[in-house]
Amino acid sequence: MADAVPTEPAPKVSLSDDEWRTRLTPAEYAVLRQAGTERPFVGEYTDTETEGVYECRACGAELFRSTEKFHSHCGWPSFFDPASSDAVILRSDTSLGMRRVEVVCASCHSHLGHVFEGEGYPTPTDQRYCINSISLRLVPKD
């Protein structure tokens, strides 16, 4: 897995904190803009199998597809690959006294979750993008 991008591109969608607070609910703001985490097993997309595209709840950018979603039983929606290689940005995260890789929306730099690898899931990439449901909006396939 690639380490965090050393120099990030500027976000395409850039709003002030007040504008984000107006656009998002307090719970969405806490996760998307303050890098919070929703409790496990409570998110609306944890176990869904609906076909479609998962967009960023903050800006509407396409992030993941249902064809890359899998059941990891970790409590959050899991994907083995983003919709495209430039849909997300990976950042080094050393909070909580450990080294993790944060996943943010490339379009608006909102926090989505973390990516892990080498956990032994039978997926093509051996990666688990562990994403907060509240960071996503599912657009069902027609």
Side-chain angles (χ1 to χ4, degrees), residues 25 45 49 59 66 84 98 119:
T25 68
Y45 303 127
E49 295 185 13
C59 73
S66 60
S84 72
M98 63 182 94
E119 296 177 314

Side-chain angles (χ1 to χ4, degrees), residues 35-78:
T37 302
E38 66 188 346
R39 291 186 342 236
F41 302 104
V42 300
E44 65 183 306
Y45 303 127
T46 302
D47 294 318
T48 187
E49 295 185 13
T50 303
E51 289 186 32
V53 171
Y54 290 87
E55 297 178 341
C56 176
R57 194 173 296 240
C59 73
E62 182 177 321
L63 299 172
F64 298 95
R65 295 187 183 120
S66 60
T67 51
E68 283 73 44
K69 188 173 186 289
F70 69 101
H71 292 287
S72 68
H73 309 288
C74 71
W76 294 272
S78 296

